[in-house]
């Protein structure tokens, strides 16, 4: 996070609330990488969800079919197939004829990742209600298990959370800075191309006008009008 601290004290006091608001905004963006929702899938239909992830980000998901008749087992018709794959086509999870499941993976590339659910054909057709929770980034870590396995004190655990959060903010700022540089380079390249095309168009117009003038002059000279 690059900040210039070479201004006067009054200017620093004016920028402080803006920096705090910006930090809160980043924290809010980081805390939104979690999806928990319910949706319906009809027989012989599929539904896919997409999540754009950065390279190295952790992703955790779990899903199950909602039992509409509590107290009774799910009917044999209530099964699904689930697949998790990247935009480039690599599979990270695949299960068939299941009522529930979960997956964990780390993103190998910065791209979109898709989770798809498919309900097989059945007569008569049925509608399945699926509950799906998808977490990515720092939120995907199970801090309770970290505390149990490491036998750490509460203060140490909170400190580790803060360190990971700061690292996430740093990575997010680096990502935004890279995107800004890419956009700036694109704008410079576009401006250069537009200037070249404008100059080329001007040269062509002048050349065409000169050629037309030469043809008209030759025509009038042949007709002895000038």
């Amino acid at each position: 996070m690059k900040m210039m601290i070479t201004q006067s004290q009054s200017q620093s006091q004016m920028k402080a609330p803006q920096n705090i608001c910006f930090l809160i905004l980043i924290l809010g963006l980081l805390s939104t990488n979690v999806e928990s929702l319910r949706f319906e899938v009809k027989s012989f239909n599929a539904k896919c969800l997409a999540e754009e992830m950065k390279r190295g980000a952790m992703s955790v998901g779990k899903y199950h079919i909602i039992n509409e008749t509590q107290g009774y087992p799910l009917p044999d018709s209530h099964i699904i197939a689930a697949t998790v794959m990247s935009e480039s086509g690599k599979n990270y999870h695949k299960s068939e004829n299941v009522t529930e499941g979960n997956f964990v993976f780390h993103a190998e590339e910065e791209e979109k990742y898709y989770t798809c659910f498919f309900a097989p054909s059945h007569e008569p057709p049925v509608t399945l209600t699926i509950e799906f929770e998808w977490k990515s980034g720092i939120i995907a870590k199970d801090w309770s298990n970290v505390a149990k396995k490491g036998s750490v004190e509460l203060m140490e655990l909170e400190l580790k959370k803060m360190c990971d959060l700061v690292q996430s903010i740093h990575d997010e700022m680096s990502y935004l800075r890279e995107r800004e540089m890419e956009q700036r380079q694109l704008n410079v390249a576009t401006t250069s191309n537009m200037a070249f095309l404008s100059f080329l168009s001007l040269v062509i117009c002048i050349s065409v006008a000169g050629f037309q003038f030469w043809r008209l002059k030759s025509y009038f000279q042949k007709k002895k009008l000038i």
Side-chain angles (χ1 to χ4, degrees):
M1 193 182 298
K2 297 178 67 177
M3 295 186 295
M4 300 298 295
I5 320 180
T6 58
Q7 304 296 328
S8 63
Q9 183 176 2
S10 60
Q11 291 176 335
S12 300
Q13 291 175 353
M14 293 176 62
K15 288 186 176 181
Q18 298 178 355
N19 294 335
I20 294 175
C21 292
F22 184 69
L23 179 59
I24 293 175
L25 176 62
I26 292 295
L27 292 175
L29 291 174
L30 289 173
S31 63
T32 56
N33 287 337
V34 52
E35 299 178 9
S36 180
L37 68 160
R38 288 188 181 187
F39 53 89
E40 294 182 346
V41 180
K42 296 182 179 181
S43 296
F44 206 62
N45 280 274
K47 179 162 292 189
C48 295
L49 297 94
E51 175 79 13
E52 188 170 356
M53 298 173 56
K54 296 186 296 184
R55 184 175 183 178
M58 183 179 182
S59 182
V60 177
K62 58 181 179 180
Y63 55 89
H64 68 274
I65 300 176
I66 301 297
N67 192 350
E68 303 291 349
T69 57
Q70 296 184 1
Y72 296 91
L74 283 171
D76 295 337
S77 59
H78 283 48
I79 54 175
I80 56 173
T83 303
V84 180
M85 61 186 303
S86 64
E87 191 174 17
S88 57
K90 183 175 181 179
N91 285 323
Y92 289 89
H93 172 76
K94 186 175 183 180
S95 59
E96 298 180 352
N97 300 328
V98 297
T99 59
E100 60 182 3
N102 55 73
F103 57 85
V104 179
F105 69 92
H106 287 81
E108 297 183 2
E109 298 293 338
E110 182 179 334
E111 57 183 344
K112 287 185 178 181
Y113 292 80
Y114 298 90
T115 302
C116 296
F117 300 94
F118 174 74
S121 177
H122 187 271
E123 291 296 337
V126 295
T127 300
L128 308 179
T129 303
I130 301 174
E131 182 169 342
F132 179 45
E133 182 177 347
W134 196 359
K135 300 179 182 179
S136 61
I138 187 174
I139 305 176
K141 289 189 177 182
D142 190 350
W143 292 104
S144 60
N145 287 339
V146 172
K148 291 177 182 178
K149 293 179 180 179
S151 301
V152 294
E153 298 293 335
L154 180 61
M155 184 65 71
E156 186 178 353
L157 178 61
E158 292 298 328
L159 182 60
K160 184 171 178 58
K161 286 183 181 180
M162 293 177 63
C163 289
D164 282 1
L165 185 59
V166 170
Q167 184 63 39
S168 297
I169 295 175
H170 179 268
D171 293 342
E172 188 71 20
M173 294 295 295
S174 299
Y175 171 74
L176 293 175
R177 188 161 54 247
E178 290 176 1
R179 293 295 297 272
E180 180 184 1
M181 290 297 298
E182 292 176 0
Q183 191 67 31
R184 186 177 302 172
Q185 292 174 359
L186 179 62
N187 291 338
V188 172
T190 302
T191 304
S192 301
N193 292 335
M194 290 298 297
F196 173 75
L197 291 175
S198 299
F199 177 75
L200 182 62
S201 300
L202 181 62
V203 171
I204 292 175
C205 289
I206 294 175
S207 301
V208 172
F211 178 73
Q212 290 178 344
F213 176 78
W214 177 77
R215 289 295 302 272
L216 288 172
K217 183 179 179 181
S218 301
Y219 175 76
F220 289 140
Q221 287 177 345
K222 287 182 179 180
K223 297 295 184 178
K224 298 182 179 180
L225 298 176
I226 57 173

